[in-house]
Amino acid sequence: MAGETVVTIVGNLTADPELRTTRNGGTVANFSIAATPRVFDKQSNQWIDGDALFLRCSAWRDLATHCAQSLSKGMRVIAQGRLQQRSYQAQDGSNRTVIELQVDEIGPSLKYATAQVQKMQSGGYQGGNANGGGYQQPQQAQQQSQAPADDPWSAPAEPEF
């Protein structure tokens, strides 16, 4: 990723990810993340919200499907990816430029919630079933698969002392 602008953003999803298929058969999930900085005002002894940043995001292929199955509106997420600038011509004929985050990694924030992770058959991992903090149950039933005994994701880790 030499020469690309890689950023990490923490914020809340403004809507459920929108999953669609391109003309070439690729899968993409589009969504926006709202990040609002907060500062503590010592004079008023209160937290004050700053101006919100709304960042349009897209995830491709398996990641797109995993986002649509695991993420929902209001969920606090941590996303990392590459900023990309795209220009297009609007319906009124004006030229427009937008900056979007091409998501490489995304997951729920565990600061105010918990999550369960399920290994996918294809070798990836799927987040899901987060509770609290505005999270909702996944809409699709998750399949339970029999994992090999040496699979570190098949059972909770024992604490080491």
Side-chain angles (χ1 to χ4, degrees), residues 50-100:
D51 292 332
L53 167 70
F54 293 90
L55 186 58
R56 194 77 185 135
C57 303
S58 59
W60 292 85
R61 295 174 281 289
D62 286 344
L63 181 58
T65 304
H66 298 167
C67 286
Q69 291 174 349
S70 305
L71 305 177
S72 59
K73 179 181 179 176
M75 186 179 275
R76 186 171 180 85
V77 296
I78 303 168
Q80 184 177 47
R82 296 161 281 122
L83 286 180
Q84 294 191 336
Q85 181 173 301
R86 182 171 55 87
S87 297
Y88 65 96
Q89 190 170 36
Q91 290 180 348
D92 64 3
S94 63
N95 293 325
R96 306 249 173 114
T97 301
V98 294
I99 296 176
E100 297 176 327

mmCIF file of all heavy atoms in Angstrom, residues 50-100:
data_model
loop_
_atom_site.group_PDB
_atom_site.id
_atom_site.type_symbol
_atom_site.label_atom_id
_atom_site.label_comp_id
_atom_site.label_asym_id
_atom_site.label_seq_id
_atom_site.Cartn_x
_atom_site.Cartn_y
_atom_site.Cartn_z
ATOM 1 N N GLY A 50 -18.255 18.015 19.168
ATOM 2 C CA GLY A 50 -17.728 18.833 18.082
ATOM 3 C C GLY A 50 -18.531 18.590 16.815
ATOM 4 O O GLY A 50 -19.591 17.957 16.842
ATOM 5 N N ASP A 51 -18.031 19.081 15.697
ATOM 6 C CA ASP A 51 -18.701 18.876 14.414
ATOM 7 C C ASP A 51 -18.512 17.427 13.965
ATOM 8 O O ASP A 51 -17.397 16.893 13.993
ATOM 9 C CB ASP A 51 -18.135 19.816 13.350
ATOM 10 C CG ASP A 51 -18.469 21.266 13.629
ATOM 11 O OD1 ASP A 51 -19.511 21.522 14.278
ATOM 12 O OD2 ASP A 51 -17.689 22.144 13.220
ATOM 13 N N ALA A 52 -19.587 16.804 13.539
ATOM 14 C CA ALA A 52 -19.544 15.408 13.105
ATOM 15 C C ALA A 52 -18.898 15.294 11.724
ATOM 16 O O ALA A 52 -19.094 16.151 10.859
ATOM 17 C CB ALA A 52 -20.943 14.816 13.065
ATOM 18 N N LEU A 53 -18.120 14.241 11.539
ATOM 19 C CA LEU A 53 -17.552 13.894 10.239
ATOM 20 C C LEU A 53 -18.339 12.704 9.719
ATOM 21 O O LEU A 53 -18.431 11.675 10.398
ATOM 22 C CB LEU A 53 -16.071 13.517 10.376
ATOM 23 C CG LEU A 53 -15.444 12.850 9.157
ATOM 24 C CD1 LEU A 53 -15.302 13.854 8.018
ATOM 25 C CD2 LEU A 53 -14.106 12.238 9.500
ATOM 26 N N PHE A 54 -18.938 12.840 8.559
ATOM 27 C CA PHE A 54 -19.660 11.749 7.921
ATOM 28 C C PHE A 54 -18.796 11.251 6.774
ATOM 29 O O PHE A 54 -18.552 11.981 5.816
ATOM 30 C CB PHE A 54 -21.026 12.212 7.402
ATOM 31 C CG PHE A 54 -21.969 12.585 8.498
ATOM 32 C CD1 PHE A 54 -22.016 13.883 8.976
ATOM 33 C CD2 PHE A 54 -22.802 11.639 9.070
ATOM 34 C CE1 PHE A 54 -22.880 14.238 10.001
ATOM 35 C CE2 PHE A 54 -23.671 11.986 10.100
ATOM 36 C CZ PHE A 54 -23.713 13.295 10.558
ATOM 37 N N LEU A 55 -18.317 10.007 6.883
ATOM 38 C CA LEU A 55 -17.425 9.452 5.884
ATOM 39 C C LEU A 55 -18.111 8.300 5.168
ATOM 40 O O LEU A 55 -18.537 7.325 5.798
ATOM 41 C CB LEU A 55 -16.126 8.963 6.541
ATOM 42 C CG LEU A 55 -15.028 8.481 5.619
ATOM 43 C CD1 LEU A 55 -14.606 9.575 4.632
ATOM 44 C CD2 LEU A 55 -13.831 8.020 6.427
ATOM 45 N N ARG A 56 -18.245 8.454 3.843
ATOM 46 C CA ARG A 56 -18.842 7.412 3.006
ATOM 47 C C ARG A 56 -17.830 6.282 2.863
ATOM 48 O O ARG A 56 -16.645 6.518 2.640
ATOM 49 C CB ARG A 56 -19.188 8.011 1.636
ATOM 50 C CG ARG A 56 -20.080 7.167 0.809
ATOM 51 C CD ARG A 56 -21.523 7.273 1.294
ATOM 52 N NE ARG A 56 -22.320 6.332 0.532
ATOM 53 C CZ ARG A 56 -23.208 5.533 1.076
ATOM 54 N NH1 ARG A 56 -23.456 5.581 2.340
ATOM 55 N NH2 ARG A 56 -23.884 4.699 0.348
ATOM 56 N N CYS A 57 -18.280 5.034 3.017
ATOM 57 C CA CYS A 57 -17.394 3.876 2.988
ATOM 58 C C CYS A 57 -17.922 2.816 2.029
ATOM 59 O O CYS A 57 -19.130 2.722 1.798
ATOM 60 C CB CYS A 57 -17.305 3.247 4.376
ATOM 61 S SG CYS A 57 -16.758 4.353 5.674
ATOM 62 N N SER A 58 -16.998 2.013 1.493
ATOM 63 C CA SER A 58 -17.395 0.866 0.682
ATOM 64 C C SER A 58 -16.487 -0.304 1.002
ATOM 65 O O SER A 58 -15.292 -0.134 1.258
ATOM 66 C CB SER A 58 -17.358 1.193 -0.803
ATOM 67 O OG SER A 58 -16.071 1.582 -1.200
ATOM 68 N N ALA A 59 -17.080 -1.492 1.043
ATOM 69 C CA ALA A 59 -16.357 -2.739 1.274
ATOM 70 C C ALA A 59 -16.700 -3.675 0.124
ATOM 71 O O ALA A 59 -17.838 -3.681 -0.358
ATOM 72 C CB ALA A 59 -16.759 -3.355 2.610
ATOM 73 N N TRP A 60 -15.742 -4.466 -0.314
ATOM 74 C CA TRP A 60 -15.915 -5.295 -1.509
ATOM 75 C C TRP A 60 -15.798 -6.781 -1.202
ATOM 76 O O TRP A 60 -15.224 -7.178 -0.203
ATOM 77 C CB TRP A 60 -14.874 -4.910 -2.556
ATOM 78 C CG TRP A 60 -15.109 -3.537 -3.103
ATOM 79 C CD1 TRP A 60 -14.682 -2.354 -2.574
ATOM 80 C CD2 TRP A 60 -15.872 -3.201 -4.251
ATOM 81 N NE1 TRP A 60 -15.116 -1.303 -3.332
ATOM 82 C CE2 TRP A 60 -15.845 -1.798 -4.371
ATOM 83 C CE3 TRP A 60 -16.562 -3.937 -5.203
ATOM 84 C CZ2 TRP A 60 -16.485 -1.129 -5.411
ATOM 85 C CZ3 TRP A 60 -17.196 -3.274 -6.233
ATOM 86 C CH2 TRP A 60 -17.158 -1.883 -6.326
ATOM 87 N N ARG A 61 -16.355 -7.588 -2.077
ATOM 88 C CA ARG A 61 -16.289 -9.046 -2.081
ATOM 89 C C ARG A 61 -16.802 -9.644 -0.768
ATOM 90 O O ARG A 61 -17.856 -9.272 -0.302
ATOM 91 C CB ARG A 61 -14.880 -9.515 -2.450
ATOM 92 C CG ARG A 61 -14.486 -9.149 -3.889
ATOM 93 C CD ARG A 61 -13.053 -9.475 -4.201
ATOM 94 N NE ARG A 61 -12.077 -8.507 -3.704
ATOM 95 C CZ ARG A 61 -11.905 -7.266 -4.186
ATOM 96 N NH1 ARG A 61 -12.657 -6.837 -5.161
ATOM 97 N NH2 ARG A 61 -10.987 -6.475 -3.684
ATOM 98 N N ASP A 62 -16.076 -10.599 -0.180
ATOM 99 C CA ASP A 62 -16.531 -11.268 1.044
ATOM 100 C C ASP A 62 -16.726 -10.286 2.194
ATOM 101 O O ASP A 62 -17.658 -10.433 2.982
ATOM 102 C CB ASP A 62 -15.537 -12.354 1.473
ATOM 103 C CG ASP A 62 -15.582 -13.593 0.592
ATOM 104 O OD1 ASP A 62 -16.562 -13.753 -0.157
ATOM 105 O OD2 ASP A 62 -14.628 -14.393 0.662
ATOM 106 N N LEU A 63 -15.839 -9.286 2.274
ATOM 107 C CA LEU A 63 -15.977 -8.288 3.334
ATOM 108 C C LEU A 63 -17.323 -7.568 3.225
ATOM 109 O O LEU A 63 -17.955 -7.270 4.240
ATOM 110 C CB LEU A 63 -14.824 -7.279 3.288
ATOM 111 C CG LEU A 63 -14.828 -6.197 4.359
ATOM 112 C CD1 LEU A 63 -14.822 -6.791 5.763
ATOM 113 C CD2 LEU A 63 -13.634 -5.273 4.167
ATOM 114 N N ALA A 64 -17.791 -7.324 2.012
ATOM 115 C CA ALA A 64 -19.089 -6.673 1.812
ATOM 116 C C ALA A 64 -20.216 -7.527 2.385
ATOM 117 O O ALA A 64 -21.093 -7.032 3.100
ATOM 118 C CB ALA A 64 -19.324 -6.417 0.321
ATOM 119 N N THR A 65 -20.187 -8.817 2.091
ATOM 120 C CA THR A 65 -21.212 -9.736 2.593
ATOM 121 C C THR A 65 -21.155 -9.819 4.118
ATOM 122 O O THR A 65 -22.189 -9.788 4.787
ATOM 123 C CB THR A 65 -21.013 -11.127 1.978
ATOM 124 O OG1 THR A 65 -21.022 -11.005 0.554
ATOM 125 C CG2 THR A 65 -22.107 -12.085 2.404
ATOM 126 N N HIS A 66 -19.939 -9.891 4.668
ATOM 127 C CA HIS A 66 -19.799 -9.965 6.122
ATOM 128 C C HIS A 66 -20.318 -8.697 6.792
ATOM 129 O O HIS A 66 -20.950 -8.765 7.851
ATOM 130 C CB HIS A 66 -18.339 -10.204 6.505
ATOM 131 C CG HIS A 66 -17.800 -11.493 5.985
ATOM 132 N ND1 HIS A 66 -16.464 -11.772 5.983
ATOM 133 C CD2 HIS A 66 -18.409 -12.569 5.429
ATOM 134 C CE1 HIS A 66 -16.269 -12.983 5.461
ATOM 135 N NE2 HIS A 66 -17.443 -13.470 5.115
ATOM 136 N N CYS A 67 -20.068 -7.531 6.186
ATOM 137 C CA CYS A 67 -20.578 -6.266 6.726
ATOM 138 C C CYS A 67 -22.104 -6.268 6.748
ATOM 139 O O CYS A 67 -22.725 -5.897 7.744
ATOM 140 C CB CYS A 67 -20.080 -5.080 5.902
ATOM 141 S SG CYS A 67 -18.351 -4.675 6.149
ATOM 142 N N ALA A 68 -22.715 -6.698 5.639
ATOM 143 C CA ALA A 68 -24.180 -6.702 5.551
ATOM 144 C C ALA A 68 -24.797 -7.666 6.562
ATOM 145 O O ALA A 68 -25.864 -7.401 7.104
ATOM 146 C CB ALA A 68 -24.612 -7.065 4.129
ATOM 147 N N GLN A 69 -24.125 -8.781 6.844
ATOM 148 C CA GLN A 69 -24.653 -9.771 7.782
ATOM 149 C C GLN A 69 -24.416 -9.389 9.240
ATOM 150 O O GLN A 69 -25.174 -9.790 10.114
ATOM 151 C CB GLN A 69 -24.017 -11.137 7.527
ATOM 152 C CG GLN A 69 -24.434 -11.774 6.238
ATOM 153 C CD GLN A 69 -23.670 -13.068 5.962
ATOM 154 O OE1 GLN A 69 -22.697 -13.383 6.640
ATOM 155 N NE2 GLN A 69 -24.111 -13.798 4.956
ATOM 156 N N SER A 70 -23.364 -8.615 9.515
ATOM 157 C CA SER A 70 -22.938 -8.400 10.893
ATOM 158 C C SER A 70 -23.177 -7.005 11.442
ATOM 159 O O SER A 70 -23.234 -6.830 12.650
ATOM 160 C CB SER A 70 -21.434 -8.687 11.011
ATOM 161 O OG SER A 70 -21.132 -9.971 10.549
ATOM 162 N N LEU A 71 -23.255 -5.994 10.582
ATOM 163 C CA LEU A 71 -23.326 -4.610 11.041
ATOM 164 C C LEU A 71 -24.711 -4.033 10.832
ATOM 165 O O LEU A 71 -25.411 -4.398 9.881
ATOM 166 C CB LEU A 71 -22.291 -3.756 10.302
ATOM 167 C CG LEU A 71 -20.835 -4.240 10.384
ATOM 168 C CD1 LEU A 71 -19.933 -3.348 9.543
ATOM 169 C CD2 LEU A 71 -20.361 -4.302 11.817
ATOM 170 N N SER A 72 -25.105 -3.113 11.699
ATOM 171 C CA SER A 72 -26.411 -2.474 11.555
ATOM 172 C C SER A 72 -26.342 -1.029 12.051
ATOM 173 O O SER A 72 -25.402 -0.629 12.745
ATOM 174 C CB SER A 72 -27.479 -3.254 12.321
ATOM 175 O OG SER A 72 -27.156 -3.326 13.688
ATOM 176 N N LYS A 73 -27.361 -0.282 11.691
ATOM 177 C CA LYS A 73 -27.458 1.138 12.040
ATOM 178 C C LYS A 73 -27.219 1.361 13.529
ATOM 179 O O LYS A 73 -27.747 0.637 14.370
ATOM 180 C CB LYS A 73 -28.838 1.664 11.648
ATOM 181 C CG LYS A 73 -29.051 3.116 11.996
ATOM 182 C CD LYS A 73 -30.427 3.586 11.610
ATOM 183 C CE LYS A 73 -30.608 5.049 11.997
ATOM 184 N NZ LYS A 73 -31.898 5.563 11.542
ATOM 185 N N GLY A 74 -26.418 2.387 13.844
ATOM 186 C CA GLY A 74 -26.161 2.745 15.222
ATOM 187 C C GLY A 74 -24.978 2.033 15.837
ATOM 188 O O GLY A 74 -24.478 2.443 16.883
ATOM 189 N N MET A 75 -24.502 0.958 15.215
ATOM 190 C CA MET A 75 -23.405 0.178 15.755
ATOM 191 C C MET A 75 -22.116 1.001 15.739
ATOM 192 O O MET A 75 -21.806 1.657 14.760
ATOM 193 C CB MET A 75 -23.238 -1.100 14.928
ATOM 194 C CG MET A 75 -22.231 -2.071 15.475
ATOM 195 S SD MET A 75 -22.125 -3.573 14.461
ATOM 196 C CE MET A 75 -23.470 -4.509 15.164
ATOM 197 N N ARG A 76 -21.392 0.978 16.841
ATOM 198 C CA ARG A 76 -20.095 1.658 16.908
ATOM 199 C C ARG A 76 -19.057 0.720 16.313
ATOM 200 O O ARG A 76 -18.934 -0.431 16.740
ATOM 201 C CB ARG A 76 -19.757 2.001 18.357
ATOM 202 C CG ARG A 76 -18.510 2.834 18.517
ATOM 203 C CD ARG A 76 -18.398 3.303 19.965
ATOM 204 N NE ARG A 76 -17.231 4.098 20.189
ATOM 205 C CZ ARG A 76 -17.167 5.407 19.970
ATOM 206 N NH1 ARG A 76 -18.239 6.041 19.529
ATOM 207 N NH2 ARG A 76 -16.053 6.077 20.184
ATOM 208 N N VAL A 77 -18.317 1.209 15.319
ATOM 209 C CA VAL A 77 -17.358 0.387 14.594
ATOM 210 C C VAL A 77 -15.988 1.058 14.535
ATOM 211 O O VAL A 77 -15.868 2.273 14.728
ATOM 212 C CB VAL A 77 -17.827 0.084 13.150
ATOM 213 C CG1 VAL A 77 -19.098 -0.745 13.150
ATOM 214 C CG2 VAL A 77 -18.005 1.360 12.354
ATOM 215 N N ILE A 78 -14.988 0.250 14.274
ATOM 216 C CA ILE A 78 -13.635 0.714 13.993
ATOM 217 C C ILE A 78 -13.327 0.231 12.584
ATOM 218 O O ILE A 78 -13.375 -0.976 12.319
ATOM 219 C CB ILE A 78 -12.623 0.125 14.985
ATOM 220 C CG1 ILE A 78 -13.027 0.468 16.414
ATOM 221 C CG2 ILE A 78 -11.212 0.607 14.661
ATOM 222 C CD1 ILE A 78 -12.259 -0.297 17.467
ATOM 223 N N ALA A 79 -13.051 1.159 11.687
ATOM 224 C CA ALA A 79 -12.777 0.805 10.295
ATOM 225 C C ALA A 79 -11.421 1.343 9.878
ATOM 226 O O ALA A 79 -11.039 2.452 10.251
ATOM 227 C CB ALA A 79 -13.863 1.368 9.379
ATOM 228 N N GLN A 80 -10.708 0.544 9.102
ATOM 229 C CA GLN A 80 -9.427 0.965 8.554
ATOM 230 C C GLN A 80 -9.448 0.719 7.057
ATOM 231 O O GLN A 80 -9.969 -0.284 6.586
ATOM 232 C CB GLN A 80 -8.278 0.187 9.183
ATOM 233 C CG GLN A 80 -6.917 0.662 8.708
ATOM 234 C CD GLN A 80 -5.792 -0.071 9.390
ATOM 235 O OE1 GLN A 80 -5.815 -1.289 9.496
ATOM 236 N NE2 GLN A 80 -4.809 0.671 9.865
ATOM 237 N N GLY A 81 -8.903 1.679 6.328
ATOM 238 C CA GLY A 81 -8.874 1.534 4.885
ATOM 239 C C GLY A 81 -8.114 2.657 4.223
ATOM 240 O O GLY A 81 -7.392 3.419 4.867
ATOM 241 N N ARG A 82 -8.327 2.769 2.911
ATOM 242 C CA ARG A 82 -7.593 3.732 2.093
ATOM 243 C C ARG A 82 -8.545 4.818 1.607
ATOM 244 O O ARG A 82 -9.617 4.518 1.087
ATOM 245 C CB ARG A 82 -6.979 3.009 0.897
ATOM 246 C CG ARG A 82 -5.945 1.985 1.314
ATOM 247 C CD ARG A 82 -5.658 0.940 0.245
ATOM 248 N NE ARG A 82 -6.736 -0.062 0.256
ATOM 249 C CZ ARG A 82 -7.494 -0.343 -0.792
ATOM 250 N NH1 ARG A 82 -7.307 0.246 -1.940
ATOM 251 N NH2 ARG A 82 -8.442 -1.240 -0.703
ATOM 252 N N LEU A 83 -8.139 6.061 1.795
ATOM 253 C CA LEU A 83 -8.932 7.175 1.268
ATOM 254 C C LEU A 83 -8.750 7.231 -0.245
ATOM 255 O O LEU A 83 -7.623 7.147 -0.736
ATOM 256 C CB LEU A 83 -8.487 8.499 1.879
ATOM 257 C CG LEU A 83 -8.887 8.758 3.318
ATOM 258 C CD1 LEU A 83 -8.368 10.125 3.761
ATOM 259 C CD2 LEU A 83 -10.385 8.684 3.499
ATOM 260 N N GLN A 84 -9.854 7.364 -0.948
ATOM 261 C CA GLN A 84 -9.797 7.485 -2.402
ATOM 262 C C GLN A 84 -10.691 8.629 -2.843
ATOM 263 O O GLN A 84 -11.788 8.812 -2.321
ATOM 264 C CB GLN A 84 -10.223 6.182 -3.081
ATOM 265 C CG GLN A 84 -9.242 5.067 -2.809
ATOM 266 C CD GLN A 84 -9.490 3.849 -3.659
ATOM 267 O OE1 GLN A 84 -10.587 3.617 -4.136
ATOM 268 N NE2 GLN A 84 -8.453 3.057 -3.846
ATOM 269 N N GLN A 85 -10.183 9.374 -3.792
ATOM 270 C CA GLN A 85 -10.924 10.499 -4.353
ATOM 271 C C GLN A 85 -11.532 10.051 -5.669
ATOM 272 O O GLN A 85 -10.876 9.411 -6.473
ATOM 273 C CB GLN A 85 -9.956 11.659 -4.576
ATOM 274 C CG GLN A 85 -10.604 12.899 -5.125
ATOM 275 C CD GLN A 85 -9.609 14.033 -5.155
ATOM 276 O OE1 GLN A 85 -9.063 14.420 -4.141
ATOM 277 N NE2 GLN A 85 -9.367 14.563 -6.345
ATOM 278 N N ARG A 86 -12.807 10.404 -5.865
ATOM 279 C CA ARG A 86 -13.509 10.012 -7.088
ATOM 280 C C ARG A 86 -14.263 11.218 -7.623
ATOM 281 O O ARG A 86 -14.912 11.930 -6.865
ATOM 282 C CB ARG A 86 -14.473 8.869 -6.768
ATOM 283 C CG ARG A 86 -15.232 8.319 -7.937
ATOM 284 C CD ARG A 86 -15.998 7.060 -7.550
ATOM 285 N NE ARG A 86 -16.893 7.227 -6.423
ATOM 286 C CZ ARG A 86 -18.162 7.654 -6.517
ATOM 287 N NH1 ARG A 86 -18.675 7.978 -7.677
ATOM 288 N NH2 ARG A 86 -18.911 7.766 -5.436
ATOM 289 N N SER A 87 -14.146 11.445 -8.912
ATOM 290 C CA SER A 87 -14.862 12.548 -9.554
ATOM 291 C C SER A 87 -15.938 11.987 -10.477
ATOM 292 O O SER A 87 -15.767 10.927 -11.072
ATOM 293 C CB SER A 87 -13.893 13.408 -10.367
ATOM 294 O OG SER A 87 -12.937 13.993 -9.520
ATOM 295 N N TYR A 88 -17.036 12.717 -10.567
ATOM 296 C CA TYR A 88 -18.127 12.301 -11.448
ATOM 297 C C TYR A 88 -18.919 13.531 -11.862
ATOM 298 O O TYR A 88 -18.747 14.618 -11.320
ATOM 299 C CB TYR A 88 -19.034 11.279 -10.754
ATOM 300 C CG TYR A 88 -19.780 11.824 -9.559
ATOM 301 C CD1 TYR A 88 -21.091 12.290 -9.682
ATOM 302 C CD2 TYR A 88 -19.195 11.876 -8.302
ATOM 303 C CE1 TYR A 88 -21.769 12.798 -8.598
ATOM 304 C CE2 TYR A 88 -19.872 12.385 -7.209
ATOM 305 C CZ TYR A 88 -21.159 12.836 -7.362
ATOM 306 O OH TYR A 88 -21.835 13.328 -6.281
ATOM 307 N N GLN A 89 -19.791 13.340 -12.847
ATOM 308 C CA GLN A 89 -20.638 14.430 -13.300
ATOM 309 C C GLN A 89 -22.056 14.197 -12.773
ATOM 310 O O GLN A 89 -22.644 13.140 -12.988
ATOM 311 C CB GLN A 89 -20.658 14.509 -14.830
ATOM 312 C CG GLN A 89 -21.321 15.761 -15.346
ATOM 313 C CD GLN A 89 -21.115 15.926 -16.841
ATOM 314 O OE1 GLN A 89 -21.097 14.955 -17.574
ATOM 315 N NE2 GLN A 89 -20.960 17.157 -17.273
ATOM 316 N N ALA A 90 -22.572 15.172 -12.057
ATOM 317 C CA ALA A 90 -23.906 15.072 -11.455
ATOM 318 C C ALA A 90 -24.981 15.206 -12.527
ATOM 319 O O ALA A 90 -24.703 15.587 -13.663
ATOM 320 C CB ALA A 90 -24.079 16.149 -10.384
ATOM 321 N N GLN A 91 -26.210 14.901 -12.153
ATOM 322 C CA GLN A 91 -27.330 14.971 -13.093
ATOM 323 C C GLN A 91 -27.539 16.380 -13.626
ATOM 324 O O GLN A 91 -28.004 16.555 -14.752
ATOM 325 C CB GLN A 91 -28.613 14.464 -12.436
ATOM 326 C CG GLN A 91 -28.595 12.975 -12.196
ATOM 327 C CD GLN A 91 -29.881 12.485 -11.544
ATOM 328 O OE1 GLN A 91 -30.694 13.266 -11.073
ATOM 329 N NE2 GLN A 91 -30.048 11.173 -11.511
ATOM 330 N N ASP A 92 -27.185 17.396 -12.833
ATOM 331 C CA ASP A 92 -27.359 18.775 -13.287
ATOM 332 C C ASP A 92 -26.201 19.239 -14.174
ATOM 333 O O ASP A 92 -26.155 20.385 -14.598
ATOM 334 C CB ASP A 92 -27.531 19.727 -12.101
ATOM 335 C CG ASP A 92 -26.300 19.787 -11.202
ATOM 336 O OD1 ASP A 92 -25.284 19.134 -11.518
ATOM 337 O OD2 ASP A 92 -26.366 20.501 -10.191
ATOM 338 N N GLY A 93 -25.234 18.329 -14.456
ATOM 339 C CA GLY A 93 -24.121 18.654 -15.341
ATOM 340 C C GLY A 93 -22.889 19.174 -14.636
ATOM 341 O O GLY A 93 -21.845 19.339 -15.260
ATOM 342 N N SER A 94 -22.979 19.443 -13.343
ATOM 343 C CA SER A 94 -21.818 19.952 -12.605
ATOM 344 C C SER A 94 -20.856 18.809 -12.281
ATOM 345 O O SER A 94 -21.263 17.665 -12.104
ATOM 346 C CB SER A 94 -22.270 20.653 -11.323
ATOM 347 O OG SER A 94 -22.904 19.729 -10.465
ATOM 348 N N ASN A 95 -19.583 19.142 -12.202
ATOM 349 C CA ASN A 95 -18.565 18.158 -11.836
ATOM 350 C C ASN A 95 -18.439 18.115 -10.321
ATOM 351 O O ASN A 95 -18.369 19.153 -9.665
ATOM 352 C CB ASN A 95 -17.223 18.508 -12.465
ATOM 353 C CG ASN A 95 -17.261 18.365 -13.968
ATOM 354 O OD1 ASN A 95 -17.931 17.481 -14.493
ATOM 355 N ND2 ASN A 95 -16.549 19.222 -14.665
ATOM 356 N N ARG A 96 -18.404 16.917 -9.765
ATOM 357 C CA ARG A 96 -18.315 16.729 -8.319
ATOM 358 C C ARG A 96 -17.145 15.814 -7.996
ATOM 359 O O ARG A 96 -16.788 14.946 -8.779
ATOM 360 C CB ARG A 96 -19.596 16.096 -7.769
ATOM 361 C CG ARG A 96 -20.860 16.859 -8.143
ATOM 362 C CD ARG A 96 -21.465 17.499 -6.942
ATOM 363 N NE ARG A 96 -22.574 18.347 -7.318
ATOM 364 C CZ ARG A 96 -23.823 18.124 -7.004
ATOM 365 N NH1 ARG A 96 -24.136 17.066 -6.311
ATOM 366 N NH2 ARG A 96 -24.767 18.971 -7.366
ATOM 367 N N THR A 97 -16.586 16.015 -6.816
ATOM 368 C CA THR A 97 -15.519 15.164 -6.314
ATOM 369 C C THR A 97 -15.879 14.736 -4.907
ATOM 370 O O THR A 97 -16.307 15.550 -4.090
ATOM 371 C CB THR A 97 -14.176 15.925 -6.301
ATOM 372 O OG1 THR A 97 -13.875 16.349 -7.631
ATOM 373 C CG2 THR A 97 -13.053 15.038 -5.801
ATOM 374 N N VAL A 98 -15.722 13.444 -4.614
ATOM 375 C CA VAL A 98 -16.005 12.916 -3.286
ATOM 376 C C VAL A 98 -14.784 12.137 -2.787
ATOM 377 O O VAL A 98 -13.997 11.625 -3.583
ATOM 378 C CB VAL A 98 -17.244 11.995 -3.270
ATOM 379 C CG1 VAL A 98 -18.502 12.768 -3.586
ATOM 380 C CG2 VAL A 98 -17.073 10.842 -4.231
ATOM 381 N N ILE A 99 -14.655 12.077 -1.490
ATOM 382 C CA ILE A 99 -13.620 11.264 -0.867
ATOM 383 C C ILE A 99 -14.327 10.139 -0.125
ATOM 384 O O ILE A 99 -15.259 10.380 0.648
ATOM 385 C CB ILE A 99 -12.752 12.098 0.092
ATOM 386 C CG1 ILE A 99 -11.998 13.157 -0.708
ATOM 387 C CG2 ILE A 99 -11.798 11.213 0.861
ATOM 388 C CD1 ILE A 99 -11.192 14.109 0.123
ATOM 389 N N GLU A 100 -13.902 8.917 -0.392
ATOM 390 C CA GLU A 100 -14.509 7.736 0.208
ATOM 391 C C GLU A 100 -13.439 6.884 0.863
ATOM 392 O O GLU A 100 -12.270 6.934 0.497
ATOM 393 C CB GLU A 100 -15.206 6.885 -0.853
ATOM 394 C CG GLU A 100 -16.353 7.568 -1.536
ATOM 395 C CD GLU A 100 -16.957 6.718 -2.647
ATOM 396 O OE1 GLU A 100 -16.228 5.965 -3.298
ATOM 397 O OE2 GLU A 100 -18.174 6.843 -2.840
#
